[in-house]
Coordinates of all heavy atoms in Angstrom, one line a residue:
R400 N 137.8 97.9 150.3 CA 138.3 98.0 151.7 C 138.3 99.4 152.2 O 138.0 99.7 153.4 CB 139.7 97.4 151.8 CG 139.8 95.9 151.5 CD 141.3 95.4 151.5 NE 141.8 95.4 152.8 CZ 141.8 94.4 153.7 NH1 141.2 93.3 153.3 NH2 142.3 94.5 154.9
K401 N 138.6 100.3 151.3 CA 138.6 101.7 151.7 C 137.2 102.2 152.1 O 137.0 102.9 153.1 CB 139.1 102.6 150.5 CG 139.2 104.1 150.9 CD 139.8 104.9 149.7 CE 139.9 106.4 150.0 NZ 140.5 107.2 148.9
K402 N 136.2 101.7 151.4 CA 134.8 102.0 151.7 C 134.4 101.5 153.1 O 133.6 102.1 153.8 CB 133.8 101.4 150.7 CG 134.0 102.0 149.3 CD 133.1 101.2 148.3 CE 133.3 101.7 146.9 NZ 132.4 100.9 145.9
K403 N 135.1 100.4 153.5 CA 134.8 99.8 154.8 C 135.7 100.3 155.9 O 135.6 99.9 157.1 CB 134.9 98.3 154.7 CG 134.0 97.6 153.7 CD 134.3 96.1 153.6 CE 133.5 95.5 152.5 NZ 133.9 94.0 152.4
G404 N 136.6 101.2 155.6 CA 137.5 101.8 156.5 C 138.6 100.8 156.9 O 139.3 100.9 157.9
E405 N 138.9 99.8 156.0 CA 140.0 98.8 156.2 C 141.2 99.2 155.4 O 141.2 100.0 154.5 CB 139.5 97.4 155.7 CG 138.3 96.9 156.5 CD 137.7 95.6 155.9 OE1 138.2 95.2 154.8 OE2 136.9 95.0 156.5
N406 N 142.3 98.7 155.9 CA 143.6 99.0 155.3 C 143.8 98.4 153.9 O 143.3 97.3 153.7 CB 144.8 98.5 156.2 CG 144.9 99.4 157.4 OD1 144.2 100.3 157.7 ND2 145.9 99.0 158.3
R407 N 144.5 99.1 153.1 CA 144.8 98.6 151.7 C 145.8 97.4 151.9 O 146.7 97.5 152.7 CB 145.3 99.7 150.8 CG 144.4 100.8 150.6 CD 144.9 101.8 149.5 NE 146.3 102.2 149.9 CZ 147.3 102.2 149.0 NH1 147.1 101.8 147.8 NH2 148.5 102.7 149.4
I408 N 145.7 96.5 151.0 CA 146.6 95.3 151.1 C 147.2 94.9 149.7 O 146.7 95.4 148.7 CB 145.9 94.1 151.7 CG1 144.6 93.7 150.8 CG2 145.5 94.3 153.1 CD1 144.9 92.7 149.7
L409 N 148.2 94.1 149.7 CA 148.8 93.5 148.6 C 149.1 92.0 148.9 O 149.7 91.7 149.9 CB 150.0 94.2 148.1 CG 150.8 93.8 146.9 CD1 151.5 95.0 146.3 CD2 151.7 92.6 147.1
R410 N 148.7 91.1 148.1 CA 148.8 89.6 148.4 C 149.9 89.0 147.5 O 149.9 89.2 146.3 CB 147.5 88.9 148.2 CG 147.4 87.5 148.6 CD 146.1 86.9 148.4 NE 145.1 87.5 149.3 CZ 144.1 88.3 148.9 NH1 144.0 88.6 147.7 NH2 143.2 88.8 149.8
I411 N 150.7 88.2 148.1 CA 151.7 87.4 147.3 C 151.5 85.9 147.6 O 151.3 85.5 148.7 CB 153.2 87.7 147.8 CG1 153.4 89.2 147.7 CG2 154.2 87.0 146.9 CD1 154.7 89.6 148.4
T412 N 151.5 85.1 146.5 CA 151.4 83.7 146.6 C 152.7 83.0 146.1 O 153.0 83.3 144.9 CB 150.2 83.1 145.9 OG1 149.0 83.8 146.3 CG2 150.0 81.6 146.0
Y413 N 153.4 82.2 146.9 CA 154.7 81.7 146.4 C 155.0 80.4 147.1 O 154.3 80.0 148.1 CB 155.8 82.7 146.7 CG 156.1 82.8 148.1 CD1 157.3 82.2 148.6 CD2 155.4 83.6 149.0 CE1 157.6 82.3 149.9 CE2 155.7 83.7 150.3 CZ 156.8 83.0 150.8 OH 157.1 83.1 152.1
S414 N 156.1 79.8 146.7 CA 156.5 78.5 147.3 C 158.1 78.6 147.5 O 158.8 79.0 146.5 CB 156.2 77.3 146.3 OG 156.7 76.1 146.9
P415 N 158.6 78.3 148.7 CA 160.0 78.4 148.9 C 160.7 77.4 148.0 O 160.3 76.3 147.8 CB 160.1 77.9 150.4 CG 158.8 78.3 151.0 CD 157.8 78.0 149.9
L416 N 161.8 77.9 147.4 CA 162.6 77.1 146.4 C 163.6 76.2 147.2 O 164.5 76.8 147.9 CB 163.3 78.0 145.4 CG 164.3 77.3 144.5 CD1 163.5 76.3 143.6 CD2 165.0 78.3 143.6
L417 N 163.5 74.9 147.0 CA 164.5 74.0 147.6 C 164.9 73.0 146.5 O 164.1 72.3 145.9 CB 163.8 73.2 148.8 CG 163.2 74.0 149.9 CD1 162.5 73.0 150.9 CD2 164.3 74.7 150.7
T418 N 166.2 73.0 146.3 CA 166.7 72.1 145.2 C 167.9 71.3 145.7 O 168.9 71.8 146.1 CB 167.3 73.0 144.0 OG1 166.2 73.9 143.6 CG2 167.7 72.1 142.9
P419 N 167.8 69.9 145.7 CA 168.9 69.1 146.1 C 170.0 69.1 145.1 O 169.8 69.3 143.9 CB 168.2 67.7 146.2 CG 167.1 67.8 145.2 CD 166.6 69.2 145.3
T420 N 171.2 68.9 145.6 CA 172.4 68.9 144.7 C 173.1 67.5 144.9 O 172.8 66.7 145.7 CB 173.4 70.0 145.1 OG1 174.1 69.6 146.3 CG2 172.7 71.3 145.3
T421 N 174.0 67.3 144.0 CA 174.7 66.0 144.0 C 175.7 65.9 145.2 O 176.3 64.9 145.4 CB 175.5 65.8 142.7 OG1 176.4 66.9 142.5 CG2 174.5 65.7 141.5
L422 N 175.9 67.0 145.9 CA 176.8 67.0 147.0 C 176.1 66.7 148.3 O 176.6 67.1 149.4 CB 177.6 68.4 147.1 CG 178.5 68.7 145.9 CD1 179.1 70.1 146.1 CD2 179.6 67.6 145.7
N423 N 174.9 66.2 148.2 CA 174.1 65.8 149.4 C 173.8 67.1 150.3 O 173.8 67.0 151.5 CB 174.9 64.8 150.3 CG 175.0 63.5 149.6 OD1 174.0 63.0 148.9 ND2 176.1 62.8 149.7
K424 N 173.6 68.2 149.6 CA 173.2 69.4 150.3 C 172.0 70.0 149.6 O 171.7 69.6 148.4 CB 174.3 70.4 150.4 CG 174.7 71.2 149.2 CD 175.6 72.3 149.5 CE 175.5 73.4 148.4 NZ 176.2 74.6 148.7
M425 N 171.3 70.9 150.2 CA 170.1 71.5 149.6 C 170.4 73.0 149.3 O 171.0 73.7 150.1 CB 169.0 71.4 150.6 CG 167.6 71.8 150.0 SD 167.0 70.6 148.9 CE 166.6 69.3 150.1
F426 N 170.0 73.4 148.1 CA 170.1 74.8 147.7 C 168.8 75.4 148.1 O 167.7 75.0 147.7 CB 170.4 74.9 146.2 CG 170.3 76.4 145.8 CD1 171.3 77.3 146.0 CD2 169.2 76.8 145.1 CE1 171.3 78.6 145.6 CE2 169.1 78.1 144.6 CZ 170.1 79.0 144.9
Y427 N 168.9 76.6 148.8 CA 167.7 77.3 149.2 C 167.6 78.6 148.4 O 168.6 79.4 148.5 CB 167.8 77.6 150.7 CG 167.7 76.4 151.6 CD1 168.9 75.7 151.9 CD2 166.5 75.9 152.1 CE1 168.8 74.6 152.7 CE2 166.5 74.8 152.9 CZ 167.6 74.1 153.2 OH 167.6 73.0 154.0
G428 N 166.5 78.8 147.7 CA 166.4 80.1 147.0 C 166.4 81.2 147.9 O 165.8 81.2 149.0
L429 N 167.1 82.3 147.6 CA 167.4 83.4 148.5 C 166.1 84.1 149.0 O 165.9 84.2 150.2 CB 168.3 84.4 147.9 CG 168.7 85.6 148.8 CD1 169.4 85.1 150.0 CD2 169.6 86.5 148.0
C430 N 165.3 84.5 148.1 CA 164.1 85.3 148.5 C 163.0 84.5 149.0 O 162.4 84.8 150.1 CB 163.6 86.2 147.3 SG 162.4 87.4 147.8
S431 N 162.7 83.3 148.4 CA 161.5 82.5 148.8 C 161.8 81.9 150.1 O 160.8 81.5 150.8 CB 161.3 81.4 147.7 OG 162.4 80.6 147.6
N432 N 163.0 81.8 150.6 CA 163.3 81.3 151.9 C 163.6 82.4 152.9 O 163.6 82.1 154.1 CB 164.5 80.3 151.8 CG 164.1 79.0 151.2 OD1 163.5 78.1 151.8 ND2 164.5 78.8 149.9
Y433 N 163.8 83.6 152.4 CA 163.9 84.8 153.3 C 162.5 85.2 153.8 O 162.3 85.5 155.0 CB 164.6 85.9 152.5 CG 164.3 87.3 153.0 CD1 164.8 87.8 154.1 CD2 163.5 88.1 152.2 CE1 164.6 89.1 154.6 CE2 163.2 89.4 152.6 CZ 163.8 89.9 153.8 OH 163.5 91.2 154.2
L434 N 161.5 85.2 152.9 CA 160.2 85.7 153.3 C 159.6 84.9 154.4 O 159.0 85.5 155.3 CB 159.3 85.6 152.0 CG 159.6 86.7 150.9 CD1 158.7 86.4 149.7 CD2 159.4 88.1 151.5
P435 N 159.7 83.6 154.5 CA 159.0 82.8 155.6 C 159.7 83.1 156.9 O 159.0 82.9 158.0 CB 159.2 81.4 155.2 CG 159.4 81.3 153.7 CD 160.1 82.6 153.4
L436 N 160.9 83.7 156.9 CA 161.6 84.0 158.2 C 161.1 85.3 158.8 O 161.3 85.6 160.0 CB 163.1 84.1 158.0 CG 163.7 82.8 157.5 CD1 165.2 83.0 157.3 CD2 163.5 81.7 158.5

Side-chain angles (χ1 to χ4, degrees):
R400 292 176 71 93
K401 184 177 180 180
K402 295 176 184 177
K403 301 174 184 177
E405 299 174 350
N406 288 359
R407 298 187 308 132
I408 58 92
L409 183 153
R410 186 180 293 108
I411 308 172
T412 304
Y413 73 100
S414 181
L416 173 63
L417 303 175
T418 305
T420 74
T421 58
L422 296 179
N423 295 320
K424 75 168 203 172
M425 191 72 71
F426 172 75
Y427 295 87
L429 183 57
C430 192
S431 61
N432 287 281
Y433 155 73
L434 290 174
L436 297 177

